[in-house]
Amino acid sequence: MINRIENWIDETNREYQSQRYSCSTFEASFSGFYPPHFLRGSYFVVVEDIPKPNFPELRQMGLGDFIDMPVNGITYKNTYYVVPKQASTLRLHFHELVHVVQWSILGAEGFISRYINEIQSFGYNSAPLEKMAYFLDDHYHSGGSPLDVPSYVESKM
């Protein structure tokens, strides 16, 4: 199942590759939080409908609520997808970039396995990977002092 999801992710990222934007556009806004080289290697795509793998096996695993849940963004490897009405919301970009860091640390198989396990065990709102992203986007949004997000995330994994 993990390989099937990763293949779907790779196919999705390829499909939207020509529509993606570099996160280097956020260098000034996220200075002190994300290194410029990290932002240059991260991308976002603005889409009307957030792509999610809708495999029957995932629903059988109890992930139907997550698949059906409306979201403003979702991250697959170094690329994340946002809806048009939220495309200019820095907080959302900050949050999704936390997930890009998590993907880079855990790798595809590790992230997918852990994310599924956390959603099954804790639910979306209490999943540790999500709680970390919400904590950090709240810190940024509330004007918290800069911190190196990739180093912070790595220290908490």
Side-chain angles (χ1 to χ4, degrees):
M1 176 53 57
I2 301 298
N3 288 338
R4 185 172 178 204
I5 294 169
E6 184 176 11
N7 289 337
W8 179 90
I9 287 168
D10 291 341
E11 182 180 314
T12 300
N13 284 347
R14 272 192 303 277
E15 178 184 338
Y16 287 99
Q17 188 168 2
S18 66
Q19 299 171 46
R20 68 185 190 170
Y21 298 94
S22 172
C23 292
S24 62
T25 190
F26 304 119
E27 281 188 36
S29 299
F30 296 159
S31 178
F33 290 96
Y34 292 105
H37 72 276
F38 172 80
L39 293 173
R40 285 191 296 272
S42 303
Y43 305 92
F44 70 96
V45 181
V46 180
V47 292
E48 289 295 328
D49 297 308
I50 298 292
K52 291 184 186 175
N54 190 7
F55 304 143
E57 298 89 341
L58 292 174
R59 291 186 179 279
Q60 291 166 1
M61 295 168 64
L63 298 171
D65 287 347
F66 174 75
I67 293 168
D68 297 335
M69 179 177 72
V71 295
N72 292 318
I74 199 161
T75 303
Y76 299 126
K77 298 186 174 183
N78 70 339
T79 302
Y80 60 91
Y81 298 80
V82 297
V83 294
K85 67 180 179 182
Q86 295 294 322
S88 62
T89 304
L90 284 176
R91 184 174 187 168
L92 176 61
H93 288 278
F94 193 97
H95 178 100
E96 296 306 327
L97 283 164
V98 172
H99 291 312
V100 172
V101 172
Q102 294 168 339
W103 275 92
S104 71
I105 292 169
L106 295 172
E109 184 177 328
F111 183 90
I112 294 166
S113 297
R114 181 167 169 177
Y115 198 84
I116 288 172
N117 180 271
E118 288 183 6
I119 297 297
Q120 289 174 318
S121 300
F122 304 104
Y124 173 81
N125 291 324
S126 296
L129 290 172
E130 284 299 338
K131 286 176 67 173
M132 180 187 297
Y134 280 110
F135 168 78
L136 288 166
D137 82 45
D138 185 56
H139 175 81
Y140 171 78
H141 183 71
S142 65
S145 60
L147 60 91
D148 183 325
V149 172
S151 295
Y152 176 88
V153 171
E154 188 164 23
S155 75
K156 300 296 182 188
M157 297 298 273

